[in-house]
Amino acid sequence: MNEETLTINKTSWEEAAALFFGRNPLPEYGPLAPCEDELNLLGEVEGAAVLDIGCGSGHSLLYMAERGVKELWGLDLSKNQIHAAEKLLEDCKAPVHLFESPMEANPGLPEGYFDIVYSIFAIGWTTDLSKTVENVFRYLKSGGHFIFSWEHPLYSRVRLKEGTLMMEQAYHEEGPYDHEAWKLPAMMQQAKVSTYINTLIDQGFIIERIIEEVRLTEKDRERHSNRWYSYEKAKMVPTTLIIKCRKP
C-alpha cells in the first residue's frame, strides 16, 4: 500500500467528490458500456449482503437497496463521499455500514460474509491490486461473486486523431500514471487485461465472464460528445472492462 499516493488521491477526491455525485452508478458499469439490465451479472440479489468497493456517493448501493438486499456495506477513500452516501442512504430499510478507508486495507469488514462484492469504475485507484483482490476474496463467503468494472486498459493508451487510432503508450507498461482526464493531482494504476485475470486466479477466484463490448446509441452519442469517452473512439476500442468471478 503506497501511503504517499493514497494521501495525494484522498486529497484530490475530497475536492472532486461533489462533481461525481451520482456519476454513472449501477445499473451502469461504465461509459458507453452495456448495463446490468442487459448483462444480469448480479443475478437475484434479494436477501443478499453486498459490499461496494469505492462506493462514492452511494448511488450503486441505493440501486441495490431498491432490489431488496439484506445489508448494504461500502467503503471509500473520501470522507466527503462517505458523508454523501450516508445522507443518500439514510432512509433505507436495510442496515447500512460505511467505512472511510482505502480498498487496500480492511477497516473492520467481516470475512467470509458477503454474497456479492462489486466495484464500479473504482478498482484502478488501488495502489496494490493483489492486496485489494486478496481482501475481496476474504470478504466473500464460499460461492460469492466479485464483479468489477474499470476503464479498459487499451483506452487511455491510444489516441484517435482524424479517424485513425494511434498508440501513445506501450501496452506492456504498467504501474501508476497521471490520467489525462483527471484534472487534479492524482495517480491511477495502469494494468494489462492479463494482469487483472492472473491476479484474480492467483488469489483463488474462478472467472466466469469477461466483457469488453460497447453500446453506441444516439443517446450515448449525445451524452459523450467531445468528452474523454467519445462515441467515435468507442467505435474502435472498448471503454470498459467488466469481469465477474466467483470464490469457490
Side-chain angles (χ1 to χ4, degrees), residues 4 6 10-12 17 49 63 70 82 114 117 125 129 136 161 167 171 191 230-232 239:
E4 181 179 359
L6 286 173
K10 181 176 175 60
T11 300
S12 181
Y63 171 82
K70 177 178 65 175
I82 291 295
F114 295 96
V117 177
W125 288 93
L129 181 62
V136 171
K161 294 183 178 179
M167 204 77 178
Y171 183 72
S230 75
Y231 179 92
E232 295 301 323
T239 61

Side-chain angles (χ1 to χ4, degrees), residues 18-217:
L19 300 176
F20 287 85
F21 185 80
R23 179 81 67 89
N24 301 121
L26 284 171
E28 296 186 39
Y29 281 102
L32 301 167
C35 295
E36 173 61 16
D37 301 339
E38 175 185 355
L39 298 174
N40 194 31
L41 298 178
L42 297 168
E44 178 55 59
V45 301
E46 186 172 358
V50 302
L51 169 63
D52 188 335
I53 303 292
C55 66
S57 57
H59 284 78
S60 289
L61 285 169
L62 181 61
Y63 171 82
M64 286 294 204
E66 291 169 346
R67 296 186 65 185
V69 300
K70 177 178 65 175
E71 296 177 27
L72 300 164
W73 297 67
L75 62 82
D76 199 279
L77 183 63
S78 164
K79 179 185 298 184
N80 289 334
Q81 292 279 48
I82 291 295
H83 286 169
E86 288 173 341
K87 185 174 182 180
L88 182 75
L89 301 169
E90 62 184 2
D91 294 328
C92 285
K93 294 180 180 179
V96 179
H97 309 275
L98 301 177
F99 296 81
E100 179 191 343
S101 171
M103 63 184 78
E104 299 88 339
N106 182 350
L109 295 167
E111 297 186 359
Y113 187 79
F114 295 96
D115 300 288
I116 299 171
V117 177
Y118 65 89
S119 180
I120 307 303
F121 241 69
I123 202 167
W125 288 93
T126 182
T127 63
D128 189 333
L129 181 62
S130 293
K131 183 59 180 175
T132 295
V133 173
E134 177 188 347
N135 288 344
V136 171
F137 191 86
R138 291 177 181 272
Y139 299 147
L140 283 166
K141 62 175 62 172
S142 179
H145 283 92
F146 177 36
I147 301 157
F148 70 88
S149 65
W150 180 243
E151 182 176 275
H152 196 284
L154 274 175
Y155 195 83
S156 63
R157 287 172 161 97
V158 297
R159 175 86 60 183
L160 181 64
K161 294 183 178 179
E162 298 179 356
T164 301
L165 282 181
M166 302 182 66
M167 204 77 178
E168 292 204 328
Q169 177 189 356
Y171 183 72
H172 311 291
E173 293 180 14
E174 299 185 287
Y177 72 110
D178 187 5
H179 197 298
E180 178 183 340
W182 192 260
K183 303 305 181 184
L184 300 169
M187 300 300 293
M188 301 181 204
Q189 300 296 316
Q190 186 73 282
K192 298 178 291 186
V193 172
S194 60
T195 297
Y196 285 111
I197 293 171
N198 290 329
T199 300
L200 292 165
I201 292 171
D202 289 346
Q203 294 299 334
F205 278 107
I206 297 171
I207 296 172
E208 294 188 346
R209 298 227 13 223
I210 299 174
I211 296 158
E212 300 176 288
E213 282 75 20
V214 296
R215 289 296 175 267
L216 302 172
T217 65

